[in-house]
């Protein structure tokens, strides 16, 4: 399991800042039709939650892909910090305590993976948003900030959902 560095968190915050800047409809549009504005955020938030879940100690191919993406994000962010602004890199960003997913929680993440793949392939309009959201989620999901603390309730919800669905079978 990869540990996020300050560079990785910086990459995640850059993605978040980019998305929020491109999403922002303006004050007038936001006050006249807040439901539409919130609906435009939904694909990103769904993908962000999925990205958080993929780095919570999931093994196999999904866990390997998430760890690899986090490693690349750490490297890119650390390189940008060193070469871009002259800061130090490689420091751990103080990761949160992981709440491991149960067996049924892992099954729900596998189902969510199938849904994400289908959504990215089907949706030409939201494909980029879904990819950015998942990348942002996997970089910020293990940080020590507010985004990292969101991973614990997500894991609890997925564990509960898996236990409820598979417990009824």
């Amino acid at each position: 399991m990869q540990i996020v560095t300050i560079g990785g968190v910086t990459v995640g915050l850059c993605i978040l800042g980019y998305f929020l800047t491109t999403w922002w409809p303006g004050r007038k549009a936001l006050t006249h039709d807040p439901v539409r504005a919130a609906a435009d955020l939904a694909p990103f938030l769904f993908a962000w939650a999925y990205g958080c879940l993929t780095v919570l100690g999931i093994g196999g191919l999904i866990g390997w892909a998430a760890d690899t993406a986090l490693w690349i994000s750490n490297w890119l962010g650390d390189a940008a910090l060193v070469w871009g602004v002259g800061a130090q890199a490689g420091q751990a960003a103080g990761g949160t305590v992981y709440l491991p997913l149960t067996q049924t929680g892992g099954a729900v993440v596998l189902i969510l993976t199938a849904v994400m793949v289908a959504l990215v392939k089907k949706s030409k309009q939201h494909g980029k948003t879904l990819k950015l959201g998942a990348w942002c989620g996997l970089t910020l999901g293990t940080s020590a900030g507010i985004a990292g603390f969101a991973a614990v309730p997500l894991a609890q919800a997925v564990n509960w959902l898996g236990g409820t669905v598979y417990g009824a079978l």
Side-chain angles (χ1 to χ4, degrees):
M1 174 188 265
Q2 287 287 327
I3 304 291
V4 69
T5 65
I6 293 174
V9 171
T10 302
V11 167
L13 291 174
C14 286
I15 294 168
L16 182 62
Y18 171 83
F19 177 76
L20 290 176
T21 302
T22 57
W23 162 81
W24 181 251
R27 189 184 70 79
K28 186 176 181 181
L30 193 59
T31 56
H32 287 330
D33 196 3
V35 174
R36 182 180 177 99
D40 289 341
L41 277 178
F44 184 84
L45 293 176
F46 173 75
W48 184 87
Y50 170 75
C52 283
L53 289 169
T54 60
V55 295
L56 291 179
I58 295 175
L61 187 59
I62 296 169
W64 175 82
D67 281 349
T68 301
L70 184 57
W71 175 79
I72 291 168
S73 298
N74 285 339
W75 185 86
L76 287 171
D78 289 344
L81 287 173
V82 169
W83 295 99
V85 294
Q88 287 185 320
Q91 303 165 353
T96 62
V97 176
Y98 291 101
L99 178 67
L101 294 176
T102 61
Q103 183 179 14
T104 56
V108 171
V109 173
L110 181 60
I111 294 166
L112 289 174
T113 301
V115 170
M116 279 291 293
V117 169
L119 286 172
V120 168
K121 288 183 84 171
K122 183 178 178 174
S123 178
K124 294 186 185 335
Q125 179 183 4
H126 297 294
K128 181 180 176 182
T129 299
L130 291 166
K131 292 174 189 175
L132 285 175
W135 188 11
C136 182
L138 73 90
T139 57
L140 296 180
T142 56
S143 68
I146 294 170
F149 289 122
V152 173
L154 281 172
Q156 289 174 337
V158 167
N159 287 340
W160 172 84
L161 180 63
T164 302
V165 169
Y166 287 98
L169 296 178

